[in-house]
Amino acid sequence: MRLRIERIGAQGDGIAQTGDGPIFVPFTLAGDEIDAWLEPGPRGTIRAQMEGLITPGPGRQDAPCRHHGQCGGCSLQHLDADLYARWVADRVQMAMAQHGLGDCPMAPPQISPPSSRRRLSLKAMRTSRGVLLGFAMRQSHHLVDVRQCPVARPSLVALFKPLRALLHDLMPLRAASVISLTEADNGIDMVIDGGIAPGLSMREALAAFAQSRDIASLHVMEDGLCDPVAVNRRVEMVFDGIPVPLPPGGFIQATAEGEAALRALMLEWLEGAQNCVDLFAGIGTFSFPLARRARVLAVEGARTALDALQSGVNKASHLKGLTALHRDLFRRPLSAAELAPFDGLIIDPPRAGAVAQMGEIAKSGVRTVVAFSCNPNSFARDARILVDGGYQLCQISPVDQFLWSPHVELAALFTKS
């Protein structure tokens, strides 16, 4: 049937309104007139595949990646820069509106450029025709064999071809694996999870690969254990001049540009705060720069991340007011009474958000709260808790580190008199 796309939804699909309800069409935008083939979607929705573009909508561009339309990693490459920036802002505002916060002040999005992603999680599968290496198709388990990736750093993309050759010799037929690549500040960290057996010949091949490609560290996950097969040097991130070890497969912000933008907002919004707490502190991305001008308690529940943070604290002897605390904030959130000494707070929870911790913050007297989130939906829910607790939502700043993807990072400032 012929459809006219009216808007782009929260997951990046174009939406056509019909008498039978909304129809979701990937890789389309508002104003597109298309011929489409309908098919059932998840949870009773109606989806369609574009069979032909009759009239393009405003803001359409040629996708820069040859895998666009197959690879599920980037679904919005057909939007030009201006339209994409408007969609990022709309994506956040739609989520906020669902919780009655649609009129919140919003800064223009800061969007990381192409070739800036420093973290990739690749899937690999050995087939009779060779090794497939890449990402799953959109809403499918089928693997797209990726040969280019315009969002990733070139140093990571350069590993695709040699990785295929390496895995072809190590993986049995029909074996599958997940390859995590992270470019830290002093080299690449690689973790291989599944698909290979840790024998002597495998270890020698992996060690030779790491040496020839200057991989800083290469680990293999087996039965939940992380095996250090080749460690040429300890992988580190540098926060405000302080080297901090990065655990194998550890979390860092997806782009250096995004990290810098988030850090700048945090420092601006916590100007004047003297006693701060950093919840879900990770390895200290925000704790270390803030500790140059305020006392900081960095709270983290993951032991490997906390150990890395503590290692950085031990090196930063000049930061007398920075301390680390191990605590599972999902099971034991800091109570309002425990938050009483602090006049500034940072919270950067996982995608699911932190309902229990937000409830305690809402009851507290902390004057300034800086919240980060990579999920506008869970953030909007948590923001509602703070607002209902007496906080004013002063500003939201989208900081998009996931170019051409429906995933959006954001920072927000809350204050309480």
Side-chain angles (χ1 to χ4, degrees), residues 44-68:
T45 60
I46 305 174
R47 300 187 59 80
Q49 297 298 322
M50 180 170 62
E51 294 294 318
L53 178 61
I54 308 304
T55 304
R60 176 175 282 277
Q61 69 170 12
D62 293 333
C65 180
R66 66 178 178 177
H67 302 296
H68 178 68

Side-chain angles (χ1 to χ4, degrees), residues 29 57-64 68 76-81 404:
L29 53 81
R60 176 175 282 277
Q61 69 170 12
D62 293 333
H68 178 68
L76 294 163
Q77 291 185 20
H78 56 291
L79 276 61
D80 68 19
W404 299 318

Side-chain angles (χ1 to χ4, degrees), residues 218-285:
L218 195 160
H219 290 72
V220 174
M221 293 291 297
E222 184 187 16
D223 297 329
L225 298 177
C226 197
D227 186 353
V229 174
V231 180
N232 296 317
R233 56 188 176 278
R234 187 173 74 167
V235 180
E236 292 180 337
M237 296 297 295
V238 180
F239 302 128
D240 206 42
I242 301 163
V244 179
L246 178 67
F251 173 82
I252 59 174
Q253 296 295 328
T255 70
E257 294 83 354
E259 178 186 302
L262 295 172
R263 182 175 60 245
L265 289 167
M266 179 270 298
L267 292 173
E268 174 189 346
W269 290 342
L270 289 175
E271 180 71 37
Q274 297 297 310
N275 197 18
C276 298
V277 60
D278 183 1
L279 305 178
F280 302 96
I283 63 174
T285 304

Side-chain angles (χ1 to χ4, degrees), residues 115 117-118 152-160 181 183 188 215:
S115 304
R117 282 288 298 273
R118 55 186 180 182
R153 285 187 173 182
S155 56
L156 300 182
V157 179
L159 290 174
F160 289 3
L181 299 174
E183 185 171 359
I188 293 174
I215 305 296

Side-chain angles (χ1 to χ4, degrees), residues 87-230:
W87 179 84
V88 169
D90 289 345
R91 167 76 178 91
V92 176
Q93 196 159 35
M94 281 189 291
M96 300 304 294
Q98 291 180 352
H99 293 269
L101 300 171
D103 58 349
C104 58
M106 189 175 304
Q110 300 183 62
I111 298 173
S112 295
S115 304
S116 64
R117 282 288 298 273
R118 55 186 180 182
R119 289 193 289 114
L120 291 179
S121 180
L122 300 163
K123 292 179 171 56
M125 179 177 293
R126 169 81 188 281
T127 73
S128 59
R129 292 181 292 177
V131 172
L132 302 179
L133 179 72
F135 305 103
M137 286 184 177
R138 185 166 168 78
Q139 297 187 335
S140 170
H141 296 295
H142 293 291
L143 192 59
V144 178
D145 194 33
V146 171
R147 303 287 169 160
Q148 69 173 128
C149 185
V151 300
R153 285 187 173 182
S155 56
L156 300 182
V157 179
L159 290 174
F160 289 3
K161 184 176 180 179
L163 260 176
R164 282 187 181 86
L166 173 73
L167 295 174
H168 184 272
D169 295 334
L170 299 181
M171 295 175 69
L173 193 63
R174 291 184 291 278
S177 182
V178 175
I179 318 294
S180 299
L181 299 174
T182 303
E183 185 171 359
D185 286 336
N186 70 332
I188 293 174
D189 169 63
M190 180 185 298
V191 178
I192 303 176
D193 189 354
I196 57 177
L200 177 60
S201 60
M202 179 275 289
R203 291 174 178 275
E204 291 175 341
L206 290 174
F209 179 84
Q211 185 68 34
S212 66
R213 298 290 166 179
D214 193 29
I215 305 296
S217 72
L218 195 160
H219 290 72
V220 174
M221 293 291 297
E222 184 187 16
D223 297 329
L225 298 177
C226 197
D227 186 353
V229 174

Side-chain angles (χ1 to χ4, degrees), residues 305-368:
L306 185 87
D307 290 345
L309 193 156
Q310 186 63 61
S311 174
V313 171
N314 295 341
K315 293 177 183 177
S317 57
H318 59 291
L319 300 179
K320 302 296 184 183
L322 177 58
T323 55
L325 172 66
H326 182 234
R327 184 145 164 184
D328 185 339
L329 294 171
F330 292 109
R331 295 177 180 272
R332 294 178 56 225
L334 262 66
S335 67
E338 291 174 297
L339 294 171
F342 302 105
D343 58 352
L345 182 148
I346 303 167
I347 182 166
D348 187 11
R351 286 187 58 81
V355 171
Q357 184 60 77
M358 286 297 192
E360 293 299 321
I361 297 170
K363 293 185 288 187
S364 78
V366 180
R367 290 201 300 269
T368 305

